């Protein structure tokens, strides 16, 4: 690993401090080095607060002059909720800026780099660029596709069942895996399920962390795809802190009293034109979520909604927990794909294997064919 890569890796590690707190903004880390010594470092910790470069410059003070700055994402060049970081670096008199990856935001997208270069600062890009892009995969998807990054989370037995035939699913996986899922929920701005999951499990769809109170955990937006508006008024998720949005069709919206009651419980009922199957148009719902500033969604089922997402190539990543249990029969994780041959299966790539307690975890990305 070269010195540039080593310092950039340190910046990437710093960027992780903001995971789950900066959305819809990206995670960014910065390190300032002078004479082979780190004189400043920082991370973007929360949306609307100073960016990583500003924290690092404040730490470095006058030592920033003539130094090299390592930053995981191109310094911003526009006035948003905070002033441009490119201007701050120029004013501090840094000599060189090493950027991992260019910002996909059209408001920046090369303008920050150009501004630095026009000020006589040497700029190098692409150092650990793939790692930096992967770290902000949700941000890149949100900016470039206008919709949230969709992460499908599933927990199943060794023989592929997510619940017994009667719907009992408590619990498929062990405590370590369940806690990891709650940590994941706390880092993602929205959780989505189909109405069948709500009717079967009555989930809370909240992040529940040890030694944390409801006031200290930012709860994700709860999203329910409910074409015929069957969500019970007594559903547990309507009693939890945070917000709920229900996507339905004109058919569901005809139940005007039901709409009124759900809105009275704080839910946002969004009516969309039905797709060819009479269901909520998933792609349009995701676009609406993107417009709300939701950069990523955790999809937690059920089987039919997951199949619809896969058919429309809208799942970007999979986190699949496999428990060392055998049911022999039960409910499947996906229902309705019905491929005619193994060659039509959705393949996964960039596969990573982990272990949580006794459970196996597969992290991977779908490889869609055209």
């Amino acid at each position: 690993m070269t010195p540039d890569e080593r310092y950039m890796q340190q910046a990437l590690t710093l960027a992780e401090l903001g995971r789950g707190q900066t959305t819809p903004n990206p995670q960014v880390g910065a390190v300032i080095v002078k004479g082979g010594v780190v004189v400043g470092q920082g991370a973007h910790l929360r949306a609307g607060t100073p960016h990583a470069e500003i924290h690092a410059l404040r730490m470095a003070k006058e030592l920033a002059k003539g130094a090299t700055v390592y930053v995981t994402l191109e310094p911003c060049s526009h006035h948003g909720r905070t002033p441009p970081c490119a201007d701050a670096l120029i004013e501090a008199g840094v000599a060189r800026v090493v950027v991992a990856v260019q910002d996909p935001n059209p408001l920046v997208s090369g303008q920050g780099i150009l501004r630095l270069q026009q000020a006589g600062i040497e700029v190098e890009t692409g150092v650990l660029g793939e790692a930096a892009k992967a770290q902000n995969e949700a941000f890149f998807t949100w900016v470039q596709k206008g919709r949230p990054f969709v992460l499908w989370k599933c927990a199943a037995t060794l023989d592929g069942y997510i619940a017994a035939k009667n719907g009992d699913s408590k619990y498929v996986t062990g405590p370590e895996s369940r806690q990891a899922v709650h940590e994941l929920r706390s880092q993602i701005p929205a959780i989505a399920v189909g109405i069948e999951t709500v009717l079967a499990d009555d989930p809370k769809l909240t992040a529940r962390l040890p030694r944390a109170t409801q006031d200290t955990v930012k709860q994700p937006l709860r999203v329910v795809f409910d074409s015929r508006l069957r969500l019970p008024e007594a559903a547990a998720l309507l009693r939890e802190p945070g917000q709920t949005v229900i996507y339905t069709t004109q058919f569901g919206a005809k139940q005007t009293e039901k709409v009124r009651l759900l809105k009275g419980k704080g839910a946002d009922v969004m009516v969309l034109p039905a797709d060819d199957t009479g269901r909520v148009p998933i792609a349009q719902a995701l676009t609406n979520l993107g417009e709300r500033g939701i950069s990523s969604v955790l999809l937690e089922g059920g089987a039919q909604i997951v199949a619809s997402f896969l058919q429309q190539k809208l799942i970007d990543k999979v986190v699949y927990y496999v428990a060392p249990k055998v049911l022999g029969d039960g409910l499947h994780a996906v229902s309705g794909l019905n491929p005619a041959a193994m060659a039509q299966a959705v393949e996964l790539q960039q596969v990573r294997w982990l272990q949580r307690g006794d459970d196996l975890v597969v992290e991977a990305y779908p490889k869609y064919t055209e």
Side-chain angles (χ1 to χ4, degrees):
M1 184 175 282
T2 67
D4 279 353
E5 290 172 336
R6 186 171 68 252
Y7 291 126
M8 188 61 77
Q9 183 57 60
Q10 185 174 340
L12 288 168
T13 301
L14 285 166
E16 282 299 314
L17 295 174
R19 182 165 293 281
Q21 303 174 111
T22 63
T23 184
N25 295 340
Q27 299 169 228
V28 183
V31 173
I32 301 177
V33 179
K34 190 171 187 179
V37 177
V38 174
V39 296
Q41 58 184 359
H44 182 39
L45 298 176
R46 193 176 297 276
T49 64
H51 291 181
E53 299 96 316
I54 305 304
H55 285 300
L57 287 171
R58 289 174 178 173
M59 180 178 177
K61 298 180 180 178
E62 67 277 359
L63 293 176
K65 187 173 183 179
T68 295
V69 179
Y70 297 86
V71 61
T72 59
L73 189 70
E74 176 184 6
C76 62
S77 56
H78 66 293
H79 283 271
R81 295 166 72 177
T82 58
C85 291
D87 289 356
L89 293 171
I90 293 169
E91 185 178 344
V94 305
R96 179 173 178 250
V97 176
V98 181
V99 178
V101 66
Q102 184 174 308
D103 193 330
N105 187 341
L107 295 175
V108 185
S109 194
Q111 295 305 306
I113 291 172
L114 180 61
R115 186 174 296 189
L116 294 172
Q117 291 173 330
Q118 289 176 336
I121 296 173
E122 178 188 350
V123 180
E124 182 174 348
T125 62
V127 176
L128 300 189
E130 288 303 313
K133 189 173 181 179
Q135 186 176 62
N136 276 307
E137 57 192 2
F139 176 72
F140 273 77
T141 297
W142 179 61
V143 170
Q144 294 173 335
K145 296 184 178 182
R147 66 162 177 85
F149 180 88
V150 178
L151 172 61
W152 173 37
K153 186 277 298 180
C154 184
T157 61
L158 193 62
D159 50 347
Y161 297 108
I162 61 172
K165 291 184 70 174
N166 65 357
D168 177 46
S169 60
K170 293 183 174 58
Y171 290 104
V172 177
T173 54
E176 295 88 351
S177 294
R178 299 200 299 276
Q179 187 55 47
V181 168
H182 282 290
E183 291 171 1
L184 184 60
R185 285 180 173 184
S186 72
Q187 297 169 357
I188 292 183
I191 301 177
V193 295
I195 184 60
E196 297 296 344
T197 295
V198 177
L199 295 176
D201 299 339
D202 194 24
K204 294 181 179 179
L205 301 184
T206 54
R208 300 183 290 281
L209 302 177
R211 297 181 299 280
T213 65
Q214 290 183 347
D215 295 332
T216 59
V217 178
K218 183 180 179 181
Q219 293 298 340
L221 175 72
R222 294 179 290 274
V223 179
V224 182
F225 295 95
D226 186 4
S227 301
R228 294 177 176 266
L229 208 59
R230 294 183 288 155
L231 183 72
E233 299 147 36
L237 59 85
L238 294 174
R239 300 194 300 271
E240 294 299 318
Q243 297 179 306
T244 299
V245 59
I246 305 164
Y247 287 101
T248 190
T249 64
Q250 291 96 331
F251 184 92
K254 288 180 180 179
Q255 304 177 66
T256 54
E257 179 62 14
K258 182 71 170 289
V259 172
R260 187 187 68 79
L261 290 171
L262 291 173
K263 287 184 175 181
K265 291 185 175 292
D268 183 2
V269 180
M270 287 293 300
V271 182
L272 299 176
D275 62 16
D276 294 340
T277 66
R279 297 189 178 98
V280 170
I282 294 172
Q284 190 173 342
L286 289 178
T287 298
N288 179 263
L289 287 171
E291 292 169 348
R292 292 169 179 253
I294 301 298
S295 59
S296 59
V297 169
L298 183 63
L299 179 63
E300 294 202 355
Q304 292 182 353
I305 197 75
V306 170
S308 295
F309 269 78
L310 285 171
Q311 287 168 336
Q312 297 179 51
K313 304 177 183 179
L314 291 173
I315 288 179
D316 300 295
K317 186 176 181 179
V318 176
V319 177
Y320 200 101
Y321 292 81
V322 182
K325 299 176 182 178
V326 176
L327 265 178
D329 197 2
L331 304 180
H332 290 285
V334 184
S335 175
L337 287 181
N338 301 321
M342 185 62 70
Q344 296 175 349
V346 177
E347 292 186 35
L348 301 180
Q349 58 188 346
Q350 302 177 50
V351 180
R352 180 178 177 225
W353 305 86
L354 307 169
Q355 187 169 351
R356 298 277 187 188
D358 292 333
D359 303 320
L360 183 67
V361 187
V362 182
E363 293 186 359
Y365 299 81
K367 181 181 179 181
Y368 297 114
T369 56
E370 296 300 328

